[in-house]
């Protein structure tokens, strides 16, 4: 068991109050070594366990929609590398990836084969987890002056249910959780910065904030919303303590410089595209308050598990009550609370989101911090309390990990029958696509899931084929209206049919166009396009029917081959010639 550190409080020249716990150099150095070693070991453990579960999950379950789309972009990038070389492909990625270049470009530069691996993306998540665990451990250590408590808190975070979830967790290819880890590292760097007096921690904040932004563009908004009040609070405190305006403003200059160099161009160049995309296509925003509250609360409870979350709240209350007289300042607690709830305030009260999924996970790193280290103690926690408290946290982490691992192991091993059928369908479609004599463009016109069989085929054969994508079929009305403004459903269907006849080589449609009325499609645009494309397959002689496939989910589907397709279809898509592939602009 690590020894309890001895602390000598010091006063700053500008204040008679104690700043965030100051630790003498030798115990601090020893604490950093212990925290760093623990962070490395925990990162390795989480990576191994989560990727093992993810691979087992993908053996029995269909690829999840958004995660499969991101995996598809990696496969697309890999294909570009194979045909054009690394340098040209990386430059193309820099020019066209306005969402998450830090999740793809490092793989291309250092390990291109990971782009073609179903869990290769985890390599870009590992640094984020390691950075967060180190900054989290240091923050807890500085506030409690206990290495043991810091390590126990890190252990609790790494045992949480959502970390190992095979749909939204660490090893699943969502952008948000990794970006949330970078964002959490940034926020905790501010907490560690001695009210922005530490230049190194201010620079660390800037680097982590840039990494979060480059991992997921919209994370810049979460960081701004969470951290700006903290920065203003620190600046106000410093001014009231007598610090000069120059010294107070200098950290902002460092932030502007570092973030500007690392991510400034990325933020500016891609601002309009991201704004338009989320303004037009984000169908989960501006919901009723009750719906947003229910969904976001449910997502948080699911990530932590109810028992674990309620126990953590209990631990936080105990720590606050027993150490209220020893607090180094209640503004430290207020900042921790704000960081813990800021994501929910943004999602529920400002954006009124109801996704109930990955975006909620921006709260997880900072809510964990707020619950496990709510107070900053002037002279450190008392030893008997630390030992008891840490024993409780370790027991909680064991319970959390055992229940989470057991739950997800059982889930991966025993999928429901409906899931097995969908997996079999995706594998069968992937085999059909891969057995064609060439790399091709194809699409499904009954649901928005063509990426799933595409990835089944790619990971099985390394043969890359391209779904025509959401320009040609989406299940969301907002997607149609944003891409085809001021057009009726029938007019959109006509545009899609024209483009499909020219560029799509293999189409999978409802075998009976009238089956659209009984499908799960819930908007006039999707219904019209699905029905009209199915009719086009039947009446147009250039489409040759290859076979049918019966499913319980979608009914009987027809599979058609285009005998007169443009021979340059694949290269048109792979070279991103948007003006030549968008149905709206195609002649």
């Amino acid at each position: 068991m690590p020894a309890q550190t001895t602390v000598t409080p010091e006063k700053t020249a500008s204040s008679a109050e104690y700043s965030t716990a100051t630790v003498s150099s030798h115990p601090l150095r020893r604490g950093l070594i212990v925290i760093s070693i623990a962070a490395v070991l925990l990162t390795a453990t989480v990576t191994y366990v989560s990727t093992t579960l993810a691979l087992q999950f993908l053996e029995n379950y269909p690829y999840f929609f958004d995660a499969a789309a991101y995996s598809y972009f990696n496969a697309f990038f890999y294909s570009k590398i194979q045909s054009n070389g690394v340098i040209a492909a990386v430059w193309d990625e820099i020019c066209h990836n306005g969402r998450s270049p830090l999740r793809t470009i490092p793989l291309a530069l250092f390990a291109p084969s990971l782009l073609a691996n179903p869990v290769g993306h985890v390599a870009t998540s590992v640094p984020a987890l390691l950075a967060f665990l180190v900054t989290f451990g240091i923050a807890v250590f500085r506030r409690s002056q206990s290495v043991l408590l810091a390590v126990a808190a890190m252990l609790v975070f790494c045992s949480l249910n959502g970390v190992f979830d095979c749909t939204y967790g660490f090893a699943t290819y969502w952008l948000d959780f990794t970006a949330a880890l970078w964002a959490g590292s940034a926020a905790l760097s501010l907490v560690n910065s001695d009210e922005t007096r530490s230049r190194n921690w201010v620079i660390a904040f800037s680097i982590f904030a840039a990494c979060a932004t480059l991992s997921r563009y919209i994370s810049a908004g979460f960081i701004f919303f969470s951290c700006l009040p903290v920065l203003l609070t620190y600046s106000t405190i410093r001014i009231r303590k007598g610090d000069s305006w120059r010294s107070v403003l200098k950290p902002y200059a460092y932030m502007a410089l570092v973030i500007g160099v690392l991510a400034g161009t990325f933020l500016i160049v891609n601002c309009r595209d991201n704004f338009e995309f989320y303004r037009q296509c984000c169908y989960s925003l501006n919901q009723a308050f009750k719906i947003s509250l229910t969904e976001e609360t449910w997502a948080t409870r699911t990530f932590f598990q109810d028992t674990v979350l309620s126990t953590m709240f209990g631990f936080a209350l105990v720590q606050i009550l027993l150490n209220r007289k020893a607090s180094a300042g209640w503004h430290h607690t207020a900042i921790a609370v704000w960081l813990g709830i800021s994501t929910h305030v943004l999602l529920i009260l400002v954006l009124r989101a109801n996704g109930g999924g990955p975006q909620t996970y921006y709260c997880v790193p900072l809510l964990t911090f707020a619950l496990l280290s709510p107070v900053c103690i002037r002279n450190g926690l008392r030893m008997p309390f630390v030992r008891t408290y840490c024993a409780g946290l370790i027991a909680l982490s064991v319970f959390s990990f055992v229940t989470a691992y057991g739950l997800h192991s059982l889930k991966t091993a025993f999928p429901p029958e409906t899931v097995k059928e969908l997996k079999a369908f995706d594998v069968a479609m992937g085999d059909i696509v891969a057995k064609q004599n060439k790399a091709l463009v194809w699409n499904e016109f009954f649901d928005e899931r063509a990426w799933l069989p595409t990835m089944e085929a790619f990971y099985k054969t390394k043969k890359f084929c391209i779904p025509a994508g959401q320009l040609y079929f989406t299940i969301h009305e907002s997607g149609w209206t944003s891409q085809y403004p001021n057009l009726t459903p029938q007019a959109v269907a006509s545009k899609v049919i024209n483009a499909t006849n020219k560029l799509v080589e293999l189409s999978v449609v409802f075998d009976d166009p009238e089956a659209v009325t009984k499908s799960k499609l819930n908007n006039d645009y999707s219904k019209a396009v699905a029905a009209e494309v199915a009719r086009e397959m039947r009446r147009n002689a250039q489409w040759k029917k290859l076979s049918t496939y019966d499913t319980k989910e979608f009914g009987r589907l027809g599979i058609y081959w285009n005998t007169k397709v443009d021979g340059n279809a694949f290269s048109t898509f792979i070279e991103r010639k948007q003006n030549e592939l968008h149905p709206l602009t195609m002649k």
Side-chain angles (χ1 to χ4, degrees), residues 334-458:
I335 286 172
V337 170
W338 165 250
L339 290 175
I341 67 172
S342 58
T343 298
H344 285 111
V345 172
L346 176 61
L347 291 173
I348 297 171
L349 297 181
V350 180
L351 299 177
R352 300 201 310 277
N354 78 332
Q359 73 272 12
T360 310
Y361 295 173
Y362 283 96
C363 83
V364 171
L366 297 178
L367 181 57
T368 303
F369 163 71
L371 293 176
L372 298 184
S373 186
V375 294
C376 180
I377 310 302
R378 180 182 293 113
N379 293 310
L381 297 173
R382 291 175 288 107
M383 176 61 77
F385 173 79
V386 169
R387 289 175 175 171
T388 304
Y389 189 73
C390 290
L393 290 183
I394 292 171
L396 179 65
S397 65
V398 172
F399 170 81
S400 179
F401 176 77
V402 170
T403 54
Y405 184 79
L407 172 66
H408 297 302
S409 295
L410 288 173
K411 181 180 178 180
T412 58
F414 302 103
E417 287 300 319
T418 54
V419 168
K420 291 181 181 178
E421 292 168 2
L422 283 175
K423 179 69 173 181
F425 170 69
D426 289 341
V427 171
M429 285 295 104
D431 289 342
I432 290 172
V433 170
K435 285 178 181 177
Q436 306 306 316
N437 294 327
K438 51 179 279 190
L440 55 83
V441 178
W442 79 292
N443 212 44
E444 295 178 345
F445 293 93
F446 58 89
D447 198 358
E448 192 178 313
R449 51 180 291 115
W451 287 300
L452 280 59
T454 297
M455 298 317 299
E456 293 282 0
F458 178 73

Side-chain angles (χ1 to χ4, degrees), residues 128-397:
L129 178 60
L130 181 62
F132 172 73
L133 290 177
V134 171
T135 54
F136 177 45
I138 292 174
V140 176
F141 175 46
R142 287 168 61 90
R143 291 162 69 86
S144 66
Q145 301 169 29
S146 168
V147 177
L148 178 59
L149 179 56
V151 174
M154 295 159 64
L155 191 62
V156 170
F157 179 82
C158 291
S159 70
L160 295 176
N161 173 65
V163 172
F164 304 101
D165 188 282
C166 296
T167 303
Y168 293 109
F170 178 72
T172 306
Y173 200 5
W174 286 89
L175 304 180
D176 302 85
F177 190 37
T178 298
L181 292 171
W182 286 121
S185 302
L188 294 184
S189 294
L190 284 185
V191 171
N192 292 333
S193 70
D194 191 15
E195 298 169 350
T196 70
R197 292 182 180 87
S198 170
R199 180 177 60 185
N200 290 341
W201 278 113
V202 168
I203 292 174
F205 162 80
S206 306
I207 293 173
F208 293 145
C211 288
T213 302
L214 293 169
S215 297
R216 177 65 153 161
Y217 188 96
I218 62 171
S219 64
F222 286 91
I223 294 171
F224 181 83
F225 189 84
S226 295
C227 294
L228 182 61
V230 177
L231 283 167
L232 295 178
T233 299
Y234 285 157
S235 297
T236 302
I237 291 171
R238 291 187 61 185
I239 290 171
R240 293 180 65 180
K241 289 178 177 179
D243 288 5
S244 67
W245 278 95
R246 181 177 180 180
S247 66
V248 171
L249 294 177
K250 187 181 293 185
Y252 293 93
Y254 289 136
M255 294 174 201
L257 176 62
V258 176
I259 294 175
V261 169
L262 297 180
T265 302
F266 174 74
L267 280 167
I268 295 170
V269 170
N270 297 292
C271 180
R272 181 176 179 180
D273 288 344
N274 278 277
F275 176 79
E276 287 299 318
F277 175 80
Y278 288 107
R279 182 179 68 85
Q280 296 175 359
C281 301
C282 235
Y283 43 84
S284 63
L285 300 182
N286 298 315
Q287 304 297 315
F289 169 77
K290 184 177 180 180
I291 294 175
S292 180
L293 177 64
T294 302
E295 292 289 332
E296 302 303 331
T297 302
W298 171 83
T300 305
R301 290 170 53 199
T302 300
F303 194 101
F304 283 89
Q305 297 185 76
D306 284 344
T307 302
V308 175
L309 186 59
S310 58
T311 304
M312 291 172 68
F313 270 105
F315 279 136
L317 184 60
V318 168
Q319 190 176 145
I320 291 172
L321 292 176
L322 293 184
N323 296 280
R324 59 188 184 278
K325 294 183 180 179
S327 173
W330 283 107
H331 68 279
H332 295 299
T333 299
I335 286 172
V337 170
W338 165 250
L339 290 175
I341 67 172
S342 58
T343 298
H344 285 111
V345 172
L346 176 61
L347 291 173
I348 297 171
L349 297 181
V350 180
L351 299 177
R352 300 201 310 277
N354 78 332
Q359 73 272 12
T360 310
Y361 295 173
Y362 283 96
C363 83
V364 171
L366 297 178
L367 181 57
T368 303
F369 163 71
L371 293 176
L372 298 184
S373 186
V375 294
C376 180
I377 310 302
R378 180 182 293 113
N379 293 310
L381 297 173
R382 291 175 288 107
M383 176 61 77
F385 173 79
V386 169
R387 289 175 175 171
T388 304
Y389 189 73
C390 290
L393 290 183
I394 292 171
L396 179 65
S397 65

